[in-house]
């Protein structure tokens, strides 16, 4: 009964090779978020969508982009991954801001 | 963006003791303060939250208190059990997380 599903669970990509991570939700939540979590660190917000309105954090690298083609799906595109992009990428949803998140299981990305 | 400071970074308690984790925020307009528990290799999960119109909220062994004047909020876990061992994150308005507290409950 997973409600926020991320694919793949594990991804290994070569330095500089574009990669796309996906997130889907069955909750019909308006807001979707992408977080990057490096080992032993707090999740760091990359982007969020409030419906179709895209919000980019000021310190999110230009290398990272996102798409939300419909309510259910959201994608994270990393155009030219660097070694420093190795991390867990967490997708989260909420009905609206200020009501707590439901996180997906995450995609563990390794850049080699 | 505004920062959320979380202390301590690590906390070790004996089973049955209480654990307290504190977070301080800077945006006086913030009105929602959730706490998440993340076990090793798993996703963060919301365990309790509080809004700025109340000072305390309790759910069984877990409670959260909010001091709006001092701009801090705290997580209290009573009668700790080994399965409470995890990393706990506070957040401010859902957007920004504290650095996390690794809680270890020793049997």
């Amino acid at each position: 009964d997973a409600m926020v599903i991320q694919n793949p669970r594990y991804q290994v990509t070569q330095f500089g090779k574009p990669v796309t991570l996906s997130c889907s939700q069955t909750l019909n939540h308006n807001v979707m978020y992408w977080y990057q979590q490096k080992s032993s660190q707090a999740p760091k917000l990359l982007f969020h969508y409030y419906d179709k309105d895209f919000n980019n954090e000021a310190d999110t690298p230009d290398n990272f982009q996102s798409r939300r083609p419909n309510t259910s799906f959201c994608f994270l595109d990393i155009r030219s991954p660097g070694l420093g992009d190795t991390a867990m990428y967490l997708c989260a949803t909420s009905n609206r801001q200020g009501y707590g998140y439901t996180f997906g299981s995450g995609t563990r990305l390794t850049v080699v | 963006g505004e920062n959320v400071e979380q202390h301590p970074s690590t906390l070790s308690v004996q089973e049955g003791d209480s654990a307290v984790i504190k977070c301080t925020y800077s945006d006086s307009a913030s009105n929602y303060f959730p706490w998440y528990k993340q076990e090793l290799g798993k996703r963060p999960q919301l365990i309790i939250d509080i809004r700025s119109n109340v000072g305390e909220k309790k759910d069984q062994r877990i409670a959260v208190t909010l001091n709006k004047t001092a701009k801090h909020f705290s997580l209290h876990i009573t009668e700790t059990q080994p399965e409470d061992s995890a990393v706990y994150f506070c957040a401010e308005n859902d957007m920004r997380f504290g650095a996390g507290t690794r809680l270890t409950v020793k049997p």
Side-chain angles (χ1 to χ4, degrees), chain A residues 37-42, chain B residues 89 99 102:
Chain A
Q37 186 176 29
K38 296 189 176 180
S39 181
S40 301
Q41 295 184 20
Chain B
F89 293 101
R102 183 174 299 278

Side-chain angles (χ1 to χ4, degrees), chain B residues 6-106:
Chain B
Q6 183 171 346
H7 298 282
S9 58
T10 60
L11 179 60
S12 182
V13 299
Q14 207 65 39
E15 182 177 1
D17 288 350
S18 295
V20 181
I21 304 169
K22 182 176 174 178
C23 284
T24 304
Y25 63 98
S26 53
D27 185 357
S28 56
S30 296
N31 57 12
Y32 177 66
F33 306 93
W35 285 91
Y36 293 86
K37 176 184 180 182
Q38 187 174 28
E39 296 177 70
L40 187 64
K42 296 188 177 180
R43 75 189 82 182
Q45 293 198 303
L46 179 68
I47 56 171
I48 197 167
D49 54 17
I50 192 167
R51 299 193 183 280
S52 59
N53 57 348
V54 298
E56 183 174 1
K57 183 176 178 180
K58 195 171 182 181
D59 182 3
Q60 299 181 343
R61 296 187 297 108
I62 296 173
V64 56
T65 58
L66 172 64
N67 183 327
K68 286 180 63 179
T69 304
K71 294 184 192 170
H72 63 71
F73 55 110
S74 299
L75 177 70
H76 304 254
I77 307 174
T78 59
E79 300 172 31
T80 53
Q81 300 166 4
E83 50 265 41
D84 294 330
S85 296
V87 179
Y88 291 81
F89 293 101
C90 63
E92 176 191 6
N93 280 350
D94 265 348
M95 303 289 271
R96 289 167 188 85
F97 285 71
T101 296
R102 183 174 299 278
L103 174 65
T104 303
V105 180
K106 294 182 279 189

Side-chain angles (χ1 to χ4, degrees), chain A residues 9-21:
Chain A
R9 287 295 304 274
Y10 302 92
Q11 176 78 53
V12 180
T13 192
Q14 289 182 326
F15 181 95
K17 186 174 181 182
V19 65
T20 295
L21 311 182

Side-chain angles (χ1 to χ4, degrees), chain A residues 30-31 48-55 68-71:
Chain A
N30 297 95
V31 197
H48 75 278
Y49 281 91
Y50 198 112
D51 291 326
K52 292 184 179 181
D53 292 334
F54 174 71
N55 297 272
R68 189 180 184 186
N70 54 52
T71 301

